[in-house]
Amino acid sequence: MRPLFDPTLQNSAEDESDDYMVRPFRNIVAKYNRVASDLFELSDLDSCDVAIVPVDWEHVRGGAKLVARPDRELISRIRSFAETVQRAGKPVIIFFASSMSHEPIPIKGAYVFRHAMFRSLSSDRDFAMPVVIARDIQKEFRSLTFAPAPRESKHKISFCGLARPLRNSERLKSIPYLGYTLLKTGMRIPSPYLGLILRKQCLETLERSPLIDTDFIAQARGVYLVRDKDKISKRESYRLPFVQNILDSPYHLSLRGSSNHSFRHWEILCCGRIPVYIDTDCGIPASDFVNWSDVMVRVDQQDVSQLIEHILDFHNSFNDSQFRDAQEKARCLWEKWCTPHGFASKLYKYVERMSAP
């Protein structure tokens, strides 16, 4: 595939860290740019297949905070670049790797790869993309055992992360949030605290069931995605038990946090385990090309009361050998579609869809 880049736009972006422990959501463009030269033949406008804006739109919008100051000069330059490309009849791709990536962007006709999108609010020009994990967990923790978990008669599911009751202050904050996002985007965006509500509901449902063996480590405060460098050492101390918790069970609960996607979902697949995925109208990467139902239990948020039944149905559809194969396939799909190289190497499939008459 022959893409076109505008290096002047890339130079406008801030330097992206390679360490997801500091900036976990903001390395997709930097990672993409590093593998691009090995995968693609960079080209001029006349002969290119696609044009790629080489800067994360989160930087363009002014960061990940709800109220941000967009870089209007950079937006104008990107708009000019996109219009030039589109007049030549070529598609334009923009990456929006952010907790706010459900927002519309002011570049008409662009194809946008997003983290935190809502399917029901998206167009056919929006694509979900996986969170890029900077480090392969199996290489990061070589001392741990990543062999497939056995298929037990009593199903075991784990979870390690922020899970607590919603505070009254958070309930009050939800009201202006809903109003502000509706005014700004024209979309009815759920509260950022929906993830906490669902986590509590799911954990209680699972713990009550005599058919499920649970291994939950509930934290009262978020420690895994803090941005303060002074707290990184504290988070590192939680990293090992977090990964071990995933490995100790064949199933791990996967659902949104403050934004509408799950970072842990890709860590579960990376570990070769099966996500019990609570679907909150999320975008699912490569869903047109991969049958993710083979390697995850998918439960609509409206059906959480039937969570146990969904797990049992999935579990009982395998024999021992097939269950082991499903875990190995989860890891394989992560490698093929969700690593920086895997994601970038499959970009041509999306471009073919964009270019189809």
Side-chain angles (χ1 to χ4, degrees), residues 82-97:
E83 289 172 351
T84 299
V85 172
Q86 289 165 347
R87 282 196 296 269
K90 307 297 176 66
V92 176
I93 288 177
I94 294 175
F95 293 121
F96 196 173

Side-chain angles (χ1 to χ4, degrees), residues 124-291:
D124 57 3
R125 292 180 177 271
D126 294 310
F127 299 98
M129 66 178 174
V131 174
V132 171
I133 299 174
R135 307 178 209 161
D136 183 338
I137 295 174
Q138 294 197 14
K139 295 178 180 178
E140 182 182 358
F141 295 95
R142 296 180 185 275
S143 61
L144 300 181
T145 300
F146 289 86
R151 182 179 180 275
E152 306 286 357
S153 56
K154 190 173 184 180
H155 324 312
K156 185 178 181 181
I157 182 170
S158 60
F159 176 82
C160 179
L162 179 63
R164 57 167 173 77
L166 204 62
R167 299 177 180 134
N168 289 334
S169 60
E170 292 167 338
R171 298 180 192 277
L172 293 175
K173 288 178 183 178
S174 297
I175 298 173
Y177 175 88
L178 296 174
Y180 178 83
T181 54
L182 179 60
L183 180 64
K184 183 179 180 181
T185 69
M187 302 175 179
R188 300 185 68 86
I189 306 299
S191 162
Y193 303 111
L194 175 62
L196 274 178
I197 296 171
L198 287 174
R199 287 184 184 192
K200 185 174 184 295
Q201 184 179 356
C202 290
L203 295 180
E204 289 179 349
T205 298
L206 291 165
E207 286 182 320
R208 285 196 304 264
S209 174
L211 302 174
I212 302 293
D213 186 9
T214 60
D215 181 12
F216 298 154
I217 304 174
Q219 304 290 344
R221 300 180 63 186
V223 295
Y224 300 101
L225 298 181
V226 294
R227 308 295 176 86
D228 188 341
K229 292 184 179 181
D230 293 336
K231 297 179 180 178
I232 297 302
S233 59
K234 178 180 179 182
R235 180 169 52 191
E236 288 282 8
S237 69
Y238 283 94
R239 184 70 176 156
L240 178 59
F242 169 72
V243 174
Q244 188 65 66
N245 180 257
I246 294 176
L247 295 176
D248 285 344
S249 307
Y251 298 100
H252 193 88
L253 186 63
S254 168
L255 71 166
R256 61 164 289 170
S258 59
S259 59
N260 200 40
H261 75 311
S262 170
F263 188 91
R264 75 175 58 237
H265 187 82
W266 311 105
E267 294 179 306
I268 299 167
L269 294 173
C270 177
C271 288
R273 294 297 185 263
I274 297 170
V276 176
Y277 173 70
I278 308 302
D279 186 354
T280 53
D281 195 25
C282 300
I284 302 177
S287 57
D288 289 340
F289 313 112
V290 176
N291 185 8

Side-chain angles (χ1 to χ4, degrees), residues 38-53:
D38 295 331
L39 296 170
F40 309 131
E41 175 189 347
L42 302 187
S43 179
D44 57 24
L45 179 58
D46 290 336
S47 58
C48 75
D49 299 305
V50 62
I52 296 173
V53 177

